[in-house]
Amino acid sequence: MSVSPRSVPVSTVVETDVLIVGSGPAGASAALALSTYGVPNIVVTRYARLADTPRAHITNQRTMEVLRDLGVEQDVVALATPQPLMGDTTFCTSLAGEELGRVRSWGNDPLVQAAHELASPTRMCDMPQHIMEPVLVDAAVARGTKLRYQTEYLSHTQDAEGVTATVRDRLRGDTYEIRAKYLIGADGGRSRVAEDAGLPMGGQMGVAGSINIVFDADLTKYTAHRPSTLYWVLAPGATVGGIGAGLVRCVRPWNEWLIVWGYDVTAGAPDLTTEYAESIVRKLVGDDDIPITVKSSSAWTVNEMYAETYANGRVFCAGDAVHRHPPSNGLGSNTSVQDSYNLAWKLKYVLDGHAAPALLDSYTAERAPIGRQIVTRANQSIRETAPVFEALDGLAPQTPEQLWANIAARKDASEAAEKQRTRLREAIAFKVYEFNAHGVDLNQRYVSDAIVSDGTPDPGFDRDPELFHQPSSRPGAKLPHAWITSGSRTLSTLDTVGGGRFTLLTGIGGDDWVRAAKAQDIEVATVVIGPGQDHEDPYGDWARLRETSDGGALLVRPDGFVCFRHASAAANADEAHALLSDALRRVLGHHVTA
């Protein structure tokens, strides 16, 4: 017996609170954070699947802290290559050829490793993008995100109440509209959302040409004894375009790989045949007998571009849409995740009516300087590879035979060769700015209306702020990590904050702050650290890092950044309430009367 289908009205407009265009690291983490906070959201991607190539991979401590707060840290750890195997960055003539030197990288230098352990409860890892995206997206969808594959963003218009985006279903071929209160453009380095929003850009695109070649090969005999994420190859042609030298990147130890090789961008990309890709692989591996399987190859350009503002009205952009740069330093996906984490809680508070729309202005104020910094740093790291070649007289046009002769000359027992060896060691060691830039990862300092200054002068940094992390409780800095205890549990101070709400940290003598926090119109969690309190400081680390007295107070935003600091106990309950209320009104963008 057949049943006639009922006539169901079809709406041409789909509604949500936040529409996210793009499912890469920025879009996926925005969806995950918003769904974790209970904000309805839709993700659209023009593609039929998530990333199918490794692309981004370095995952630094700050990003792992974000993922820890969003509840997926252990999912990432279970699938990632752990920090010890990220190892010593190796410079060589090929994997099978001569080794020229190494840099202890990604926190694996003993001194840097100690700094990593002191800085965070998390560990950096190598998590290729095609493995990371499913973790983020699966968790987002499980928490409420509605994901639409093969749905292409076409355009948007906005008004005082929201944004109407027109999208095309690439499977059916029809178009429809999605009405959202806010739109996030996370659609990559050729972002149509950023273009349609008219975001002003600085810098330039296409400064050099590069090729990615993904291949399978068992390279254990050349790599397992010197584990590394990156092997840099100084071979003839390696200084043409690209990212400073030929690169063999380990995707999965020790049989999945990705090569980066340059080309002259003015001449256009070469024909990426399988034969061409195999020839490049053979050149950089240096062994013609090992079986290899080329899986894919693609051309891309090195960019040096950043958005000067990240928003226009109700449209916000994140990730590569607003900072476009080479993979040097491993900053791309990390910054993208952190963009979204910064934005998501602000959207949550505005949508809930707890914050004024003015809070959203702090997104550009806080993240645009970070974006510009990492674009500059990544491109500078490319330029800092040149001295390695210079030490071998390998930058001037010459035959391969001449380059090999220059490399061999460093072994001579002569004064010139000794100077050459010194130059080479120094040039390789200087690459620490790319492979161990701990300060670039963790030293963000926000200045915006969502940060309330405590009136103290900025002390700056005691050491190189790109290489060394310097914790601070100063408003605008990330809350310092210290191990504390709660009963039988040991946890990080970072574990006491986040969760989509503000947190006030104080100690013995801070009772007025606690009462003031509980009297606010929004949820402010309280953490009291001290002997006999719910949380204790057995090592004394927190007392050394907090930069306040026992009865002082730190107010921490949902993203883990300190937004208010009072160095001492409040004079009384009324003062504590007035100071904390004023700080929250300022941070949340509400008008504060005199």
Side-chain angles (χ1 to χ4, degrees):
M1 175 180 175
S2 63
V3 178
S4 300
R6 292 187 300 168
S7 176
V8 179
V10 177
S11 173
T12 58
V13 178
V14 177
E15 295 188 356
T16 190
D17 278 4
V18 181
L19 170 63
I20 302 164
V21 179
S23 58
S29 53
L32 174 57
L34 289 169
S35 287
T36 301
Y37 302 153
V39 177
N41 65 92
I42 294 174
V43 174
V44 299
T45 173
R46 68 191 307 271
Y47 302 106
R49 55 165 297 163
L50 301 177
D52 58 356
T53 56
R55 297 186 231 175
H57 59 116
I58 300 295
T59 308
N60 66 33
Q61 284 182 295
R62 179 54 190 157
T63 296
M64 292 302 290
E65 289 172 357
V66 170
L67 301 180
R68 184 184 183 95
D69 181 44
L70 296 177
V72 295
E73 178 194 17
Q74 290 308 312
D75 299 299
V76 172
V77 169
L79 296 171
T81 298
Q83 187 172 7
L85 292 184
M86 296 170 72
D88 298 344
T89 299
T90 301
F91 290 80
C92 55
T93 60
S94 69
L95 293 190
E98 277 197 70
E99 183 175 313
L100 304 172
R102 304 181 192 179
V103 179
R104 295 183 180 93
S105 304
W106 315 118
N108 284 298
D109 179 284
L111 294 177
V112 180
Q113 184 177 29
H116 275 234
E117 292 186 1
L118 290 169
S120 175
T122 68
R123 294 291 172 268
M124 72 184 313
C125 61
D126 189 294
M127 183 68 167
Q129 187 170 337
H130 68 307
I131 303 174
M132 174 71 87
E133 282 186 15
V135 170
L136 302 179
V137 169
D138 288 352
V141 170
R143 298 176 196 181
T145 293
K146 295 178 173 58
L147 174 65
R148 295 293 179 267
Y149 288 110
Q150 297 196 84
T151 303
E152 181 179 8
Y153 162 87
L154 298 177
S155 64
H156 76 263
T157 60
Q158 61 174 309
D159 52 52
E161 303 300 324
V163 183
T164 301
T166 301
V167 300
R168 181 170 71 92
D169 186 308
R170 302 183 75 191
L171 188 62
R172 298 190 309 245
D174 61 325
T175 63
Y176 62 97
E177 292 181 341
I178 301 177
R179 177 69 175 174
K181 294 170 183 173
Y182 294 97
L183 167 63
I184 299 176
D187 49 337
R190 296 182 178 86
S191 172
R192 289 192 62 178
V193 176
E195 182 179 355
D196 290 348
L199 301 188
M201 297 282 179
Q204 66 180 107
M205 297 281 281
V207 298
S210 282
I211 299 163
N212 280 2
I213 301 169
V214 181
F215 68 101
D216 289 342
D218 183 357
L219 301 181
T220 303
K221 69 178 180 178
Y222 298 124
T223 57
H225 66 288
R226 49 180 180 183
S228 180
T229 286
L230 305 175
Y231 299 83
W232 291 87
V233 179
L234 281 69
T239 59
V240 178
I243 55 175
L247 174 66
V248 182
R249 172 189 143 197
C250 179
V251 177
R252 305 298 272 179
W254 304 108
N255 53 20
E256 295 182 38
W257 301 89
L258 183 150
I259 273 177
V260 181
W261 185 251
Y263 68 88
D264 182 356
V265 71
T266 62
D271 186 9
L272 300 180
T273 62
T274 300
E275 291 74 21
Y276 174 82
E278 288 180 351
S279 71
I280 299 300
V281 172
R282 295 291 183 196
K283 177 188 289 191
L284 272 63
V285 171
D287 185 334
D288 290 340
D289 296 326
I290 284 184
I292 63 172
T293 302
V294 172
K295 298 165 72 175
S296 68
S297 58
S298 58
W300 53 280
T301 60
V302 174
N303 303 314
E304 192 166 0
M305 180 169 281
Y306 49 86
E308 295 168 356
T309 180
Y310 282 16
N312 181 353
R314 290 175 172 265
V315 178
F316 299 84
C317 286
D320 289 355
V322 283
H323 36 80
R324 306 167 188 179
H325 54 90
S328 311
N329 287 75
L331 297 168
S333 64
N334 290 291
T335 310
S336 300
V337 170
Q338 294 163 37
D339 285 345
S340 296
Y341 188 60
N342 179 286
L343 178 60
W345 75 266
K346 296 173 181 177
L347 289 171
K348 160 70 171 175
Y349 273 74
V350 171
L351 287 164
D352 283 352
H354 295 315
L359 170 63
L360 298 173
D361 295 339
S362 66
Y363 174 59
T364 285
E366 294 175 356
R367 295 305 300 173
I370 304 300
R372 183 170 184 170
Q373 176 198 16
I374 62 105
V375 168
T376 301
R377 178 65 258 170
N379 280 276
Q380 180 64 22
S381 290
I382 290 180
R383 293 186 280 271
E384 288 171 355
T385 303
V388 179
F389 283 88
E390 289 173 355
L392 300 168
D393 297 320
L395 285 180
Q398 56 190 263
T399 64
E401 290 75 19
Q402 184 60 55
L403 177 61
W404 303 138
N406 294 345
I407 289 172
R410 82 190 195 285
K411 305 173 191 174
D412 294 343
S414 66
E415 182 178 350
E418 184 169 354
K419 289 181 178 178
Q420 183 186 36
R421 290 191 293 271
T422 299
R423 290 198 308 272
L424 181 61
R425 285 196 300 270
E426 292 174 347
I428 290 175
F430 195 74
K431 292 297 289 179
V432 69
Y433 277 91
E434 179 172 357
F435 308 128
N436 271 321
H438 200 210
V440 175
D441 293 346
L442 292 179
N443 278 344
Q444 292 92 343
R445 298 284 191 273
Y446 291 158
V447 178
S448 76
D449 289 341
I451 300 293
V452 179
S453 170
D454 65 356
T456 60
D458 185 347
F461 294 91
D462 296 335
R463 297 192 292 175
D464 189 320
E466 290 197 323
L467 291 183
F468 303 103
H469 169 53
Q470 182 170 314
S472 174
S473 72
R474 180 179 176 78
K478 181 177 69 70
L479 182 73
H481 154 69
W483 291 113
I484 58 176
T485 59
S486 179
S488 60
R489 292 192 307 135
T490 298
L491 67 162
S492 169
T493 47
L494 301 186
D495 296 328
T496 69
V497 303
R501 81 270 195 266
F502 284 79
T503 306
L504 183 132
L505 285 80
T506 188
I508 294 174
D511 294 348
D512 288 334
W513 294 116
V514 173
R515 283 189 285 269
K518 293 179 178 178
Q520 299 302 314
D521 292 334
I522 63 169
E523 179 187 3
V524 180
T526 57
V527 178
V528 182
I529 304 174
Q533 308 304 308
D534 288 343
H535 296 84
E536 300 196 36
D537 182 22
Y539 303 106
D541 292 340
W542 177 240
R544 287 188 289 270
L545 290 169
R546 69 190 181 200
E547 299 174 314
T548 68
S549 69
D550 285 349
L554 299 176
L555 181 64
V556 182
R557 305 187 322 188
D559 59 356
F561 277 75
V562 178
C563 60
F564 166 79
R565 178 173 71 175
H566 197 277
S568 60
N572 51 54
D574 288 342
E575 182 187 55
H577 189 274
L579 289 171
L580 191 59
S581 298
D582 177 76
L584 283 166
R585 286 197 299 270
R586 291 179 183 274
V587 170
L588 296 175
H590 294 300
H591 177 67
V592 180
T593 57

